[in-house]
Amino acid sequence: EDQVTQSPEALRLQEGESSSLNCSYTVSGLRGLFWYRQDPGKGPEFLFTLYSAGEEKEKERLKATLTKKESFLHITAPKPEDSATYLCAVQPLLTGGGNKLTFGTGTQLKVEL
Amino acid sequence: DTAVSQTPKYLVTQMGNDKSIKCEQNLGHDTMYWYKQDSKKFLKIMFSYNNKELIINETVPNRFSPKSPDKAHLNLHINSLELGDSAVYFCASSQSNPSGSQTQYFGPGTRLLVL
């Protein structure tokens, strides 16, 4: 069974204090690993898809990396508006259809002035 | 220009009632999903439809019945609501891509509270 574990559960940073969020996964063949951002009371917002080990993607202050067992979301010089819950999900290689995402429980990030 | 929309946003009802949640996407996608997010914020897939055909059904009680009148709409009907059904329900959509991954885009959620 596919499994995704995110750590830490919660993270409090000062503005400008860089850090990383971890997503460890087990999956029977990886089709894609996804990062989403979720603000309170809203739906998950797509950030990145990573497909293979060694791949990196960047967007503003965020950079996602992927190995065969985990992914990191690096946040450089965060601002208060980066405060949100960050969700990681995996999509397995499946035959016969189905595009199920298995999510982790998320990391709740709070960036303070 | 809402890509994936859901109605209603909030739903408060009594135990035993029947209720429906509607979802529409204007992205031109051919696959739609229902997810449930519990009080611990864990997001779990319930159903997936591709071109109006059910392709994923994740051991959800048969009190939950999805219906897809066309590929832009996926509704969720829930019979005999129970306290444990209280959660946030998210609709999502994606475009099928046999050779690669499918990015799923989520709606704003429907917050269901069963009293």
Side-chain angles (χ1 to χ4, degrees):
Chain A
E1 188 178 324
D2 305 332
Q3 204 161 1
V4 177
T5 304
Q6 292 187 245
S7 62
E9 285 187 19
L11 182 61
R12 186 168 279 187
L13 299 173
Q14 295 295 311
E15 185 176 14
E17 180 187 1
S18 301
S19 189
S20 296
L21 313 183
N22 178 263
C23 170
S24 297
Y25 65 92
T26 53
V27 64
S28 51
L30 181 69
R31 185 186 286 264
L33 183 141
F34 297 80
W35 282 98
Y36 286 85
R37 168 192 171 127
Q38 187 174 22
D39 291 296
K42 298 199 173 175
E45 176 190 343
F46 170 70
L47 293 173
F48 303 108
T49 310
L50 300 166
Y51 297 97
S52 56
E55 189 175 1
E56 298 182 353
K57 288 198 176 168
E58 285 188 68
K59 180 180 179 180
E60 296 181 0
R61 295 176 292 282
L62 299 177
K63 179 171 147 181
T65 62
L66 181 65
T67 73
K68 287 185 177 178
K69 292 185 177 181
E70 56 192 352
S71 177
F72 291 93
L73 185 65
H74 307 277
I75 304 177
T76 302
K79 298 182 176 182
E81 53 262 41
D82 295 322
S83 298
T85 296
Y86 290 86
L87 299 169
C88 173
V90 295
Q91 191 170 69
L93 285 169
L94 288 176
T95 58
N99 294 288
K100 187 171 85 167
L101 283 180
T102 298
F103 279 87
T105 49
T107 293
Q108 192 171 348
L109 173 66
K110 174 89 172 160
V111 181
E112 298 172 332
L113 290 169
Chain B
D1 272 15
T2 307
V4 182
S5 59
Q6 296 178 229
T7 53
K9 188 169 182 178
Y10 299 98
L11 189 50
V12 181
T13 188
Q14 299 288 329
M15 223 167 39
N17 284 350
D18 303 340
K19 290 293 178 186
S20 291
I21 308 172
K22 295 186 176 182
C23 177
E24 176 181 3
Q25 54 93 6
N26 63 8
L27 297 167
H29 290 164
D30 60 2
T31 308
M32 296 184 72
Y33 311 80
W34 279 110
Y35 284 83
K36 179 179 180 179
Q37 189 170 47
D38 61 24
S39 57
K40 295 184 180 178
K41 307 298 183 187
F42 183 58
L43 201 58
K44 185 170 168 62
I45 192 165
M46 300 171 70
F47 300 103
S48 173
Y49 270 74
N50 177 266
N51 279 318
K52 304 194 296 173
E53 182 184 343
L54 180 67
I55 55 172
I56 295 176
N57 182 340
E58 285 286 305
T59 60
V60 177
N62 57 15
R63 298 183 294 104
F64 290 79
S65 51
K67 281 190 172 53
S68 182
D70 55 62
K71 65 178 190 177
H73 296 85
L74 181 61
N75 303 323
L76 184 65
H77 188 76
I78 315 170
N79 288 327
S80 304
L81 277 155
E82 299 177 358
L83 295 176
D85 297 332
S86 296
V88 184
Y89 292 84
F90 287 100
C91 178
S93 74
S94 69
Q95 180 59 37
S96 57
N97 176 7
S99 62
S101 68
Q102 301 183 13
T103 300
Q104 295 180 20
Y105 296 89
F106 285 78
T110 294
R111 284 138 193 86
L112 172 65
L113 179 59
V114 183
L115 301 173

